[in-house]
Amino acid sequence: MAFGVTCGGAATIVKAVRQHYHKTMIVKLSPNVTDIASIARACEDEGADSVSLINTLMGMAIDIEHRCPKLSIRTGGLSGPAVKPVALRMVNDVAKSVRIPVVGLGGISTAEDAIEFLMAGATAIQIGTANFLDPQITIKVRDGINDWLDRHGCQSVSEIIGCV
Ligand SMILES: Cc1cc2nc3c(=O)[nH]c(=O)nc-3n(C[C@H](O)[C@H](O)[C@H](O)COP(=O)(O)O)c2cc1C
């Protein structure tokens, strides 16, 4: 059920969860919306501790020989490098619109990608699809971020968060 695609739906579910769950709540946001910043604000207003974005973009592929969708349920989630520019823009939109921390993801497969998300305003990043190609990717990205910070004379990653 896509309850996160309207401000009202997102607010209702966050409020309901908040009433019963008192530990850290990070709300994962869908990119399949017109204004993700307003949905993030609705989650913040109802007590979310953080938001993470983006989830997958709805996509479709067609088997032209059989003239039917390739996926049995017609549509599916698009992830990986193709979604990175969309994700970065949305992370930047949301980071400028809320006071709670933003977790950025969507197409990250290198340290440079991760640094882009940090500069866009994410205070943490996640990696999904790239793990299928390289199970060591999170360690490589972590080390690459540290190398970049050292080369640029940064004492802490916080020096680059939201610098764009
Ligand atoms: C195989 C697969 C399964 C996923 N399952 C979930 C899920 O259960 N819940 C969720 O919030 N996101 C799920 N996602 C979305 C990812 O967590 C992530 O938001 C999205 O893929 C973008 O990041 P990425 O490009 O690094 O994969 C899934 C993604 C993939 C590829």
Side-chain angles (χ1 to χ4, degrees), residues 7-132:
C7 286
T12 300
I13 193 86
V14 171
K15 184 176 184 180
V17 172
R18 186 78 291 172
Q19 283 170 357
H20 297 282
Y21 185 76
H22 305 295
K23 294 183 180 176
T24 303
M25 177 176 21
I26 304 175
V27 179
K28 179 86 170 274
L29 302 183
S30 169
N32 303 304
V33 298
T34 36
D35 181 8
I36 197 165
S38 62
I39 293 180
R41 278 195 301 274
C43 295
E44 179 180 45
D45 290 346
E46 295 300 341
D49 295 299
S50 170
V51 287
S52 74
L53 63 141
I54 61 173
N55 211 319
T56 51
L57 286 153
M58 290 305 292
M60 186 178 181
I62 292 175
D63 175 346
I64 59 171
E65 296 307 318
H66 296 95
R67 304 184 188 199
C68 64
K70 282 188 176 173
L71 298 173
S72 60
I73 54 169
R74 198 175 65 85
T75 60
L78 179 67
S79 65
V83 308
K84 197 189 88 179
V86 178
L88 262 179
R89 190 267 297 171
M90 290 186 163
V91 165
N92 193 232
D93 282 351
V94 169
K96 288 191 293 186
S97 302
V98 297
R99 292 174 303 278
I100 52 177
V102 175
V103 182
L105 76 158
I108 296 174
S109 60
T110 65
E112 289 76 17
D113 293 337
I115 290 165
E116 284 188 78
F117 277 79
L118 295 168
M119 289 185 172
T123 53
I125 59 108
Q126 298 178 335
I127 301 174
T129 302
N131 286 286
F132 290 107

